[in-house]
Amino acid sequence: MRVTFLGLGVMGYPMAGHLTEAGHQVTVYNRTRQKALDWCEQYPGDLATVPAQAVQGADFIFSCVGNDDDLREVTLGQEGAFQGIKSGAVFVDHTTTSAKIARELNELALQAGFGYLDAPVSGGQPGAEAGKLTIMVGGDEACFKTAGPVMGCYAKVLKLMGPSGSGQLTKMVNQICVAGLLQGLAEGLNFARRVGLDGEAVVDAISRGAAQSWQMENRYQAMLGGDFDFGFAVDWMRKDLDIAMEEAGAHGVAIPVTELVDSFYAEVQAMGGGRWDTSSLITRLG
């Protein structure tokens, strides 16, 4: 297939690489040109200077950028991707955004004669590099079935959640759950340390029971060791939680724990930890 990938950050870079490894013909675009040049040195593929050029002739277009504004710029901005997509193609957005922009872009895509899927991912940089992401998708079932095998190049779980916007809503649920889990883990490990327990021994014991979670297995060492220079950044998590809180407010849904944990992440940012991994919640506990 002829494929375009827009956005080569910590997630998009390896995801685009998996597409080439699967034999697809890939054209990439990144706002920071050097990143795209680096990618082209590592993988076989073509480099485009603007999104509209990148999508010419592509069967599938994938994007993974920062937020709603970034997505709007790369799709609808000057020389944006939506100006050059051929009829019958499918645009798949892996950015974590609001459901509102997903629905907006879906409508515009339908009017222009191509498909649109909102398909945020979970699994972080390790999942992207290993090609084992969880992808929650909103949009047309036919488009999903067409694009699914291509997304399968970097997915371990791929599920259609419902109509346009449903992928983004599911990602909000994911982040609400992750925030609560991380705060609970931070408090538990801090408690263990304060009362004189061996943190490693505690995790070895409780991770085999009801307290077990992915976050515990993959983040307890960072919390105990104080090493947070990796992973999913606090700045990104606050962006995601802000989207979830706004959506919850619009529907009159109470998410008080999420709001509280978001305020704790604001404290971590004030400590200079905006780029620390989300497990850095423990730092504010002293």
Side-chain angles (χ1 to χ4, degrees):
M1 294 289 182
R2 295 190 64 181
V3 175
T4 297
F5 209 102
L6 309 172
L8 299 173
V10 296
M11 302 293 286
Y13 193 107
M15 291 163 74
H18 287 302
L19 291 169
T20 67
E21 291 165 356
H24 298 297
Q25 182 182 343
V26 181
T27 298
V28 297
Y29 164 79
N30 195 65
R31 287 174 296 178
T32 304
R33 182 176 174 81
Q34 186 58 51
K35 195 65 159 300
L37 291 170
D38 293 342
W39 187 92
C40 287
E41 287 185 5
Q42 185 174 351
Y43 298 102
D46 299 314
L47 169 66
T49 57
V50 295
Q53 175 195 4
V55 303
Q56 291 290 330
D59 302 298
F60 298 95
I61 302 94
F62 300 93
S63 61
C64 191
V65 291
N67 54 34
D68 284 28
D69 290 341
D70 296 328
L71 179 60
R72 186 170 279 107
E73 178 185 346
V74 82
T75 54
L76 306 179
Q78 186 176 10
E79 297 184 286
F82 275 27
Q83 298 179 33
I85 298 175
K86 70 179 184 180
S87 178
V90 179
F91 189 105
V92 181
D93 177 45
H94 291 307
T95 313
T96 297
T97 69
S98 67
K100 179 180 178 181
I101 192 173
R103 297 180 185 119
E104 173 189 335
L105 294 179
N106 178 63
E107 286 299 318
L108 293 173
L110 287 174
Q111 293 171 21
F114 60 89
Y116 184 92
L117 299 171
D118 53 286
V121 302
S122 180
Q125 186 175 353
E129 291 174 348
K132 295 182 177 180
L133 292 168
T134 294
I135 307 180
M136 46 219 91
V137 185
D140 177 72
E141 185 175 4
C143 287
F144 174 74
K145 288 181 177 179
T146 300
V150 187
M151 286 188 276
C153 296
Y154 43 76
K156 68 173 182 179
V157 177
L158 183 61
K159 188 171 182 63
L160 181 65
M161 304 307 302
S164 182
S166 298
Q168 296 299 345
L169 292 172
T170 305
K171 180 61 182 287
M172 294 174 207
V173 175
N174 185 84
Q175 300 305 72
I176 289 168
C177 293
V178 167
L181 283 169
L182 282 168
Q183 179 60 22
L185 181 58
E187 291 182 13
L189 293 180
N190 182 64
F191 174 84
R193 181 172 58 195
R194 292 296 189 90
V195 300
L197 293 172
D198 181 318
E200 293 272 354
V202 168
V203 172
D204 185 55
I206 69 173
S207 65
R208 304 173 194 223
Q212 184 274 340
S213 70
W214 186 96
Q215 296 295 337
M216 178 178 288
E217 292 184 0
N218 291 275
R219 293 296 181 261
Y220 83 90
Q221 290 179 323
M223 287 186 172
L224 293 175
D227 178 16
F228 308 110
D229 189 22
F230 72 101
F232 189 68
V234 168
D235 288 343
W236 301 339
M237 179 58 120
R238 288 211 71 204
K239 182 266 291 186
D240 291 358
L241 294 181
D242 184 64
I243 292 171
M245 290 186 293
E246 183 176 352
E247 190 73 30
H251 290 272
V253 178
I255 49 172
V257 173
T258 303
E259 293 170 356
L260 184 61
V261 177
D262 179 66
S263 72
F264 293 160
Y265 276 126
E267 293 180 27
V268 176
Q269 285 178 318
M271 295 166 61
R275 303 299 293 180
W276 294 347
D277 180 73
T278 48
S279 57
S280 59
L281 274 172
I282 198 170
T283 58
R284 55 172 296 279
L285 297 176

